[in-house]
Amino acid sequence: MPISVLVVDDSAFFRQQIVSMLKGHPELRVAGTASHGKEAVEQALKLKPDVITMDYEMPIMDGISAVREIMARQPTPILMFSSLTTSGARVTLDALDAGAVDYLPKFRESLSANERLKQQLIEKLIAVVKRGGKGQPLSGTTAERTAPVERAPARQPRLSPRPELIMVGTSTGGPVALQKFLTQLPAGFDIPLLLIQHMPAAFTGPFAERLNRQCRIRVVEAQNNMALEPGLALLAPGGQQMMLSSRERVKVLAGDDRLNYKPSVDLSFGSAAKYYGNRVLAIVMTGMGADGREGARMLKKVGAPVWTQGSDSCVIDGMPAAIRKEGMSDADIPLDSMAQVLLKAL
């Protein structure tokens, strides 16, 4: 049966744009629409759609409030539409905390000018439903966690030699995964970290600020020529590439337009293989696609360990699965256990 979609937006024009994007696709069916958050909750309970697209700024009830109530009463994968601004980034991060699984940029142009966005929307809707993805709100939200119960890892991985750098690559579902992982690292954690999350340029600054407030380690958005420091996590800026220029510093640059991702996990991992050899630990977490696979291949050639997030805890298991499929994962670890396993291995 086709995947049923509930479209929520206060703009009749934008609702029609989304309906037009989905109309005629053999795997999708628009089950209904809603013009504000309260109606979205009512329609979610009545229609029980497989997935929901959600606006933020709406009358009567805003999108974040609607996400919280839907996740509490009828847990459903929700994609947020957000403006590519600092304000839009903060709203999106709040929505992810509330249980939304992902986001897409807001647009007001004609459908013909947004073929790439149309393809992204369709791919995300299909992927989260086929994966069984549900929102995974953090502790303190009103919604319950709906992902499958995670099993403990079969064995405790070892790290020898001790890594001098930890790199984490993420995409869809990554903001929540990174938050859960990094907030469990203690003050005094003494290894530098590089974080590569697929995000637009306007989002990474607010995301780094949020993580820095929540974590006991320091988190900042990387800038060109910044130094690696113990217990400092550098987040790759959206729309750019982050590489190592030496064992001590990072290089931030525009990068090649032929690369699909900015930032690219492959590019960052590959530069670490050059400067750190087997003294880097790479961790690939939830995300669509296979970014990180070729970078992991370069790291494995120099003897570096690569860990993956366990399938059951991924919103989308594309990136970790690509590593596993090639036999390059040294440890497959549930998200809730990742920090604990890392600390024990160190």
Side-chain angles (χ1 to χ4, degrees):
M1 291 181 61
I3 293 167
S4 59
V5 185
L6 173 62
V7 176
V8 183
D9 198 283
D10 67 326
S11 163
F13 170 79
F14 194 69
R15 289 197 304 274
Q16 185 55 47
Q17 286 278 73
I18 299 175
V19 170
S20 296
M21 284 181 166
L22 306 182
K23 188 176 180 181
H25 194 282
E27 295 187 66
L28 298 169
R29 174 181 64 85
V30 177
T33 63
S35 60
H36 53 75
K38 186 174 184 295
E39 186 180 13
V41 175
E42 294 168 352
Q43 290 287 71
L45 295 173
K46 176 184 175 182
L47 301 173
K48 295 180 172 55
D50 296 313
V51 65
I52 299 170
T53 69
M54 182 74 71
D55 187 22
Y56 166 65
E57 292 186 15
M58 297 182 291
I60 303 178
M61 180 186 287
D62 64 65
I64 294 175
S65 300
V67 170
R68 289 197 182 100
E69 189 160 346
I70 290 169
M71 295 308 297
R73 301 175 65 184
Q74 181 67 38
T76 308
I78 298 173
L79 293 178
M80 300 297 297
F81 276 92
S82 304
S83 61
L84 292 176
T85 63
T86 299
S87 174
R90 291 181 176 134
V91 165
T92 301
L93 294 169
D94 287 343
L96 294 174
D97 279 358
V101 295
D102 204 3
Y103 58 90
L104 278 173
K106 190 92 172 184
F107 66 93
R108 293 291 180 185
E109 298 86 1
S110 65
L111 178 61
S112 61
N114 285 278
E115 283 303 315
R116 186 167 182 272
L117 180 61
K118 174 182 176 179
Q119 189 60 34
Q120 285 181 323
L121 172 61
I122 290 171
E123 287 176 357
K124 286 176 184 285
L125 292 174
I126 293 173
V128 296
V129 174
K130 287 194 172 180
R131 174 67 184 88
K134 298 282 189 180
Q136 298 179 30
L138 303 178
S139 59
T141 63
T142 57
E144 297 292 332
R145 181 189 175 97
T146 58
V149 176
E150 301 184 56
R151 295 183 294 273
R155 60 182 177 84
Q156 170 67 41
R158 300 179 62 185
L159 290 173
S160 181
R162 192 176 194 270
E164 298 175 2
L165 175 67
I166 296 172
M167 305 183 76
V168 186
T170 55
S171 185
T172 305
V176 171
L178 284 172
Q179 190 169 327
K180 286 191 174 183
F181 171 61
L182 295 173
T183 53
Q184 294 180 48
L185 297 181
F189 187 78
D190 63 352
I191 301 176
L193 299 100
L194 297 182
L195 313 174
I196 309 97
Q197 162 71 43
H198 295 164
M199 259 186 172
F203 281 49
T204 44
F207 183 42
E209 291 172 6
R210 175 181 293 235
L211 288 173
N212 191 56
R213 290 194 302 269
Q214 295 169 332
C215 296
R216 285 168 286 185
I217 64 169
R218 289 190 299 139
V219 184
V220 300
E221 184 181 38
Q223 297 180 18
N224 190 45
N225 206 38
M226 286 188 78
L228 277 67
E229 299 176 16
L232 173 65
L234 297 180
L235 177 67
Q240 300 185 71
Q241 302 294 357
M242 179 176 69
M243 304 170 62
L244 289 163
S245 58
S246 67
R247 286 180 60 85
E248 292 82 28
R249 295 187 178 274
V250 296
K251 176 168 58 177
V252 174
L253 67 164
D256 194 325
D257 286 339
R258 291 173 294 179
L259 290 171
N260 289 331
Y261 302 107
K262 291 186 178 184
S264 164
V265 180
D266 281 331
L267 201 62
S268 297
F269 280 12
S271 70
K274 175 181 177 182
Y275 289 105
Y276 276 84
N278 67 348
R279 291 187 176 272
V280 56
L281 168 64
I283 303 175
V284 178
M285 292 187 176
T286 176
M288 288 179 66
D291 189 25
R293 179 180 58 198
E294 298 311 311
R297 200 184 308 279
M298 288 184 269
L299 287 168
K300 296 299 291 183
K301 285 181 179 178
V302 296
V306 177
W307 292 1
T308 49
Q309 180 181 340
S311 173
D312 284 352
S313 61
C314 290
V315 173
I316 299 292
D317 191 33
M319 287 167 55
I323 304 294
R324 286 188 227 105
K325 185 177 180 181
E326 297 292 324
M328 295 188 294
S329 176
D330 295 289
D332 201 44
I333 304 168
L335 175 60
D336 287 347
S337 305
M338 187 72 76
Q340 176 187 354
V341 169
L342 172 62
L343 295 172
K344 190 172 181 180
L346 294 173

